[in-house]
Amino acid sequence: MRGIFAAGVLDSFLDHDFCPFDLCVGVSAGANNLAAFLAGMRGRNYRIYTDYSRRPEFINTRRFLCGGHLMDLDWLWDITIRELPLDTDRVDAAQQEYRVGVTRVRDGQVVYARPEGDNLAEILKASSAMPLVYRDVVTLPGVVVESGNAPPSQENESYVDGGLCEPIPVREAVRRGATTVMVIRSRPESYRMDPTKKHRLMGMSLRRYPALRRCLQARAVRYNETVEYMRSPEREAEGVRIIEINPPESFETSRTTRDIEALDRDYDRGLRAGLEGIHALNGR
């Protein structure tokens, strides 16, 4: 639900016909927001966050305590594809390269899927399949993925949330040659993950997947290292300019927020931050 802020940022970009990017890389909710942005579908994700995602069919604590999903991605994907279908033709035709980070179950490696037409929805579901809150993995037959400097390959593998292994995929953009990177985050500038926090329930849910458990254990360190990298002399020496767009410290939305007034306020904060991001990139 914290993705409501990025939905506002990207809707602001659409309002101002702002898309100077060569490459768009996203994981989890960020990848879904980017898909609607590239499809030119202003307001699609706002409606998903403020309507569909607030329904008990999606977030249901009682169902979760009885062994089901806390967040039922299957229901959400089915109903939004029917009632708010993504314009996949327009996404495919976009001038920007578009990659979606997913975490491979077998070895816990993040790979970047290349969406092509009909497989976009399932790739986005895989990138959003957060362990524990969604109790399944997502199998993507025949999807083309890229990893590091290896050539693209076609895989028949199972995947989960791309953010489990790579919460902020800024290094992937730099690896691909980007020299100006705009990073839209879902946490205030001061936020750091607590590496001492024990995710016992999520760890138990991953007991069949040791590689994913290792990802979970290293996630906070990886997250904090990436934040430091974005602000370090190291990336400046590489000739890389990074522009962060962060929610303000007053950001209210949490992972499971369903308060419509809080969601609306944070969406509006995203709209304003999007305009500020345009000015930052243009040097004003």
Side-chain angles (χ1 to χ4, degrees), residues 54-74:
R54 295 176 58 242
R55 299 184 193 182
E57 291 92 342
F58 179 53
I59 298 179
N60 191 309
T61 304
R62 179 176 296 179
R63 179 182 61 212
F64 175 69
L65 294 175
C66 293
H69 303 303
L70 176 60
M71 299 182 184
D72 191 344
L73 296 183
D74 301 321

Side-chain angles (χ1 to χ4, degrees), residues 104 114 116 119 140-146 151-157 159:
R104 193 162 51 204
R114 191 166 66 198
E116 296 174 318
N119 69 10
L140 299 175
V143 68
V144 176
V145 303
E146 300 163 356
S153 60
Q154 195 171 48
E155 292 188 350
N156 294 282
E157 296 269 3
Y159 303 92

